[in-house]
Amino acid sequence: MTRSTFLPITAAILLAAAPVQAVDWPSWGGCDLGRNMVSSETGLPDSFKPGDKSPTGAGMLPGTTENVRWVAHLGNFICGNPTVADGRVFVGTDDASLQNDTRLKRMRGGMVWCLDEKTGQMLWKLPVPPRPKERLPENAHYGQQNLGVCSSPTIVGNRAYVLTNSCEVLCLDVKGQADGNEGPFTDEGQYIAGSKAPPVQLEKTDGDIIWKFDLIDELGICPHDVAACSVLVDGRFLYVVSANGVNHEHTFCLRPDAPSFIALDAQTGKLLATDTEGLGHRLWHCLWSPPTIGVVNGKKLVFFGGGDGVCYAFEALTDVPAAPIHFKKVWSYDCVPPNYRDPLGDGMPFNYYIGDKRKKYTTNTDDGTFLGPSEIIASPVFHDGRVYCTIGQDPTHGRGRGILNCIDASKTGDITHTGCVWTYDGLERSISSVAISDGLLYAADLAGHVHCLDVNTGKPYWVYETNTETWSTPLVADGKVFVSTKKKVVVLAAGKEKKLLAEIPLGASAYATPVAANGTLFICSQSYLWAVQKGATLAPEPATAAK
């Protein structure tokens, strides 16, 4: 057996007190398809000690951690948050660990991991090779960051759904190859080896693809940078953005008429519906925002954050059509104020990339004051008949002015004015969604400010300065607010009074949102995943580890 890069650990100490209600966290947003990052878990620790790295490179040294049940070293990048269902933990990473699999070589692609929830033992993994240049549209600017799988897997029953770094939606068997190779897709040996290598012999610890849908081949899109949307599954229907984006020079969209938002049959992967908004003619960068669903006036609506800065609501599908149909739009809301779109006030087209701190011609001093347009990257959050939406840009562009919109979801048509309940312009650009609990809304911006607002009025109660860049969404659980940043995990007391409970350095940047499931916090740094549980002690590393 080859040495694994993750540390399978057995639990040594039970919880000091069992949670009142233990539930899974099966998708981006947990069990809430409105994507509200709030958990009912109790008994969670205020803090933990991540531990000292093992000299073997496999994990952390026992005796150096506190409130840690297990830790797994998974790769070099973890961008999407883990999901937890039926005793398994799923997470996407890059493929840095492939150097320890004698069948395969690292290709700077991605990986989907499935771990045992109790022990952190690897159950299976699915390497996802990078998409070859010849299978990308000419002049595409895609995959160069080598971030791997950035989507959070969505678990429904015995299926896991994920958008990969190769710009495919995959339906996976949650048990992997351990229960056989289930079709109709059966060529996993070739898939994980890559198109230019001979197929590998499959093992029980490999992933099992049920079906795949290629966004580029099937929709004719041109992706940009990364495909990062976490898919939404509602019964038979799977919703996802198309990952369409601009060209290498960031000047226009190469495939402007390709769809932006689609629905697939969750059972078969068949295309069911597309939008007709023509967003490709208005895109600034790319489509990344995970969609959201909610019931408004007795009817399900699906909410989609556009790369044009507009939030859209479509009627959710109710029946499987015989042939692909077009979504019926219910409303649209421009989340970018007029003075952001036209900051000079002269009515002339505004150069979006003048707000990119890296450009030689930029006027952005990277202090959060730059005023200009932004797109929607975070999920619109649906809660109690309203939609809450932040705006922002790719973090590499730097800081700038943002805004948070509270939208009345019961309106129809262009509701930019009629649907505005309140706006809050006290935050900067943000790629984070919001979390709402007990009448309070928590939001984080790229500069690392955590804001607590009255959910009904947008009135701010407090702002906490983490003093470091923040990509993650706040998680509210057990009377606490957990926020991951590039330098530390910040734990605040939930409520109208600002109170710091802990700041926990992880030894590396943390991009993924913390999640809570079954009495445990799952917290990621750039490379490690911790299972944090009150009173837990890390057990010694076993003599051998699964490959």
Side-chain angles (χ1 to χ4, degrees), residues 112 114 124-127 158-162 170-189 191-192 202-212:
V112 180
C114 176
W124 57 260
K125 64 182 186 297
L126 179 73
N158 61 355
R159 297 290 182 258
Y161 302 89
V162 66
L170 296 184
C171 172
L172 308 174
D173 182 348
V174 298
K175 294 183 179 179
Q177 294 288 339
D179 61 350
N181 192 354
E182 184 176 350
F185 188 95
T186 58
D187 201 14
E188 286 86 354
Y191 180 91
I192 65 177
L202 292 176
E203 299 179 353
K204 290 185 177 181
T205 52
D206 288 322
D208 183 6
I209 301 172
I210 307 302
W211 58 254
K212 71 181 179 75

Side-chain angles (χ1 to χ4, degrees), residues 59-135:
M60 301 296 166
L61 288 172
T64 66
T65 67
E66 183 178 305
N67 294 329
V68 173
R69 189 169 77 241
W70 54 258
V71 58
H73 185 196
L74 299 179
N76 291 339
F77 291 103
I78 304 174
C79 293
N81 67 249
T83 50
V84 184
D86 294 329
R88 297 169 184 258
V89 180
F90 303 82
V91 63
T93 70
D94 68 338
D95 67 352
S97 65
L98 278 184
Q99 61 190 352
N100 298 289
D101 190 326
T102 56
R103 302 171 303 156
L104 299 164
K105 65 177 182 178
R106 184 186 179 194
M107 293 180 282
R108 296 191 179 276
M111 187 91 78
V112 180
W113 292 85
C114 176
L115 310 177
D116 183 274
E117 181 183 353
K118 291 182 179 179
T119 67
Q121 174 75 39
M122 187 267 286
L123 300 177
W124 57 260
K125 64 182 186 297
L126 179 73
V128 182
R131 194 177 188 94
K133 185 176 181 180
E134 60 268 21
R135 294 189 59 223

Side-chain angles (χ1 to χ4, degrees), residues 401-487:
R401 291 276 297 278
I403 197 165
L404 169 62
N405 291 271
C406 174
I407 307 166
D408 182 351
S410 68
K411 305 294 184 179
T412 59
D414 182 346
I415 65 169
T416 304
H417 300 294
T418 60
C420 180
V421 180
W422 54 259
T423 61
Y424 173 68
D425 63 2
L427 80 170
E428 296 185 22
R429 291 173 178 170
S430 176
I431 64 171
S432 307
S433 302
V434 304
I436 301 167
S437 179
D438 296 327
L440 300 177
L441 179 150
Y442 303 92
D445 60 30
L446 183 63
H449 310 109
V450 182
H451 305 253
C452 175
L453 313 178
D454 185 292
V455 72
N456 293 315
T457 66
K459 170 189 172 183
Y461 288 109
W462 50 260
V463 178
Y464 181 80
E465 302 266 2
T466 68
N467 296 310
T468 182
E469 192 172 293
T470 301
W471 296 20
S472 78
T473 292
L475 168 73
V476 180
D478 194 25
K480 309 172 186 72
V481 182
F482 300 89
V483 183
S484 292
T485 76
K486 289 192 74 172
K487 293 183 179 178

Side-chain angles (χ1 to χ4, degrees), residues 105-253:
K105 65 177 182 178
R106 184 186 179 194
M107 293 180 282
R108 296 191 179 276
M111 187 91 78
V112 180
W113 292 85
C114 176
L115 310 177
D116 183 274
E117 181 183 353
K118 291 182 179 179
T119 67
Q121 174 75 39
M122 187 267 286
L123 300 177
W124 57 260
K125 64 182 186 297
L126 179 73
V128 182
R131 194 177 188 94
K133 185 176 181 180
E134 60 268 21
R135 294 189 59 223
L136 285 167
E138 186 178 355
N139 205 27
H141 188 64
Y142 183 76
Q144 71 286 347
Q145 296 164 327
N146 303 314
L147 297 179
V149 175
C150 297
S151 165
S152 298
T154 298
I155 316 304
V156 181
N158 61 355
R159 297 290 182 258
Y161 302 89
V162 66
L163 177 60
T164 73
N165 52 282
S166 196
C167 222
E168 308 154 328
V169 178
L170 296 184
C171 172
L172 308 174
D173 182 348
V174 298
K175 294 183 179 179
Q177 294 288 339
D179 61 350
N181 192 354
E182 184 176 350
F185 188 95
T186 58
D187 201 14
E188 286 86 354
Q190 184 66 67
Y191 180 91
I192 65 177
S195 58
K196 298 180 181 180
V200 301
Q201 184 69 35
L202 292 176
E203 299 179 353
K204 290 185 177 181
T205 52
D206 288 322
D208 183 6
I209 301 172
I210 307 302
W211 58 254
K212 71 181 179 75
F213 183 91
D214 192 304
L215 297 176
I216 297 174
D217 292 347
E218 299 292 340
L219 302 177
I221 67 157
C222 180
H224 186 90
D225 284 347
V226 296
C229 176
S230 298
V231 304
L232 171 71
V233 180
D234 177 39
R236 187 72 179 265
F237 309 109
L238 181 153
Y239 301 96
V240 65
V241 301
S242 70
N244 203 22
V246 295
N247 63 338
H248 184 278
E249 293 79 15
H250 296 65
T251 52
F252 61 90
C253 178

Side-chain angles (χ1 to χ4, degrees), residues 487-532:
K487 293 183 179 178
K488 56 199 171 184
V489 173
V490 176
V491 186
L492 302 162
K496 295 180 181 179
E497 301 296 325
K498 180 169 59 176
K499 182 180 180 181
L500 176 67
L501 299 179
E503 290 187 333
I504 308 156
L506 298 180
S509 297
Y511 301 110
T513 296
V515 306
N518 307 315
T520 303
L521 275 171
F522 294 91
I523 293 180
C524 297
S525 71
Q526 189 169 305
S527 302
Y528 293 86
L529 169 60
W530 285 268
V532 177

